[in-house]
């Protein structure tokens, strides 16, 4: 299984809502990533988990809260978002750590619209 | 800070043509470089990964080269097809670090 899955595919939420994005992989990868991608722009790294510990936080606002419950799952909890947070949110995974191959595999993304 | 640039931003070619996409980066202390393809509104599909110690990688009609000292990589696509139409992104990973920086991409259109 070489697939990264993300749910939901589309999400529309109001600025006062609380929602979560989910990501799952069963490749045995130990590094998982969240990226944000605005239209016609490259992906921007938000968070990196390595061996279920947060290793990189690219100064992301606290209204985005990542969680890694186990080595296969990655969540992104959303609260009090702004319309400018509307974007495609991409999850990725790789072997992670040490002199490993480190090819990143991406999921299909969640298209988020904040009203 | 690592800056990644891709030229051209857009490219339109007739079917069957061979083409080259360019990627340049400012910090040569990289761990690897990865080329991706992205269809509109979709996720990224990994095409090729080149480790910092390698000079090139090949997969089918695709060939990627890496010149770390000059901060450049190229993606060569042979005998282009309409199905190759997509945005192609390169990304570099800092040495021994999980941080990846992407270029803005080249939007390729292959006309039948």
């Amino acid at each position: 299984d070489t697939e990264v899955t993300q749910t939901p595919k589309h999400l529309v939420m109001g600025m006062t809502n609380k929602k979560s994005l989910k990501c799952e992989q069963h490749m045995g990868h130990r590094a998982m990533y969240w990226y944000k991608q605005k239209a016609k722009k490259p992906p921007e790294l938000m968070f990196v988990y390595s061996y279920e510990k947060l290793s990189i936080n690219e100064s992301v606002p606290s209204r985005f809260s990542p969680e890694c419950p186990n080595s296969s799952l990655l969540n992104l909890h959303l609260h009090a978002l702004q319309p400018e947070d509307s974007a495609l949110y991409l999850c990725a995974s790789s072997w992670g750590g040490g002199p490993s191959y480190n090819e990143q595999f991406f999921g299909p993304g969640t298209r988020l619209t904040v009203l | 800070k690592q800056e990644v640039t891709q030229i051209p931003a857009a490219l339109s070619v007739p079917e069957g043509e061979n083409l080259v996409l360019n990627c340049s980066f400012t910090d040569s202390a990289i761990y690897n470089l990865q080329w991706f393809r992205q269809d509109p509104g979709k996720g990224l599909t990994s095409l090729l990964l080149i480790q910092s110690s390698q000079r090139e990688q090949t997969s089918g009609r695709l060939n990627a080269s890496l010149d770390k000292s000059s901060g450049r990589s190229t993606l060569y696509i042979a005998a282009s097809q309409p199905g190759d139409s997509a945005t192609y992104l390169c990304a570099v990973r800092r040495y021994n670090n999980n941080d990846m920086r992407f270029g803005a991409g080249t939007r390729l259109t292959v006309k039948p």
Side-chain angles (χ1 to χ4, degrees), chain A residues 30-62:
Chain A
R30 302 311 299 269
M32 296 186 75
Y33 312 73
W34 280 116
Y35 289 86
K36 174 182 177 180
Q37 187 178 27
K38 302 284 276 185
K40 299 189 186 302
K41 297 290 186 182
E44 295 179 353
L45 185 66
M46 300 174 72
F47 303 104
V48 181
Y49 273 84
S50 180
Y51 291 85
E52 295 131 68
K53 293 190 187 312
L54 184 64
S55 63
I56 294 179
N57 177 341
E58 291 284 358
S59 302
V60 179
S62 59

Side-chain angles (χ1 to χ4, degrees), chain A residues 37-104:
Chain A
Q37 187 178 27
K38 302 284 276 185
K40 299 189 186 302
K41 297 290 186 182
E44 295 179 353
L45 185 66
M46 300 174 72
F47 303 104
V48 181
Y49 273 84
S50 180
Y51 291 85
E52 295 131 68
K53 293 190 187 312
L54 184 64
S55 63
I56 294 179
N57 177 341
E58 291 284 358
S59 302
V60 179
S62 59
R63 57 185 184 269
F64 295 91
S65 176
E67 178 196 20
C68 190
N70 60 56
S71 60
S72 300
L73 293 174
L74 184 66
N75 298 322
L76 186 63
H77 302 298
L78 314 172
H79 174 54
L81 295 192
Q82 304 296 312
E84 59 264 30
D85 296 321
S86 299
L88 181 68
Y89 287 83
L90 295 164
C91 174
S93 70
S94 68
W95 286 110
S100 54
Y101 194 51
N102 270 328
E103 181 176 5
Q104 284 205 355

Side-chain angles (χ1 to χ4, degrees), chain A residues 37 42 98-99 101-104, chain B residues 31 34 38 46 93 100 103:
Chain A
Q37 187 178 27
Y101 194 51
N102 270 328
E103 181 176 5
Q104 284 205 355
Chain B
Y31 194 55
Q34 196 167 353
Q38 186 173 31
S46 178
R93 178 190 297 274
M100 286 187 72

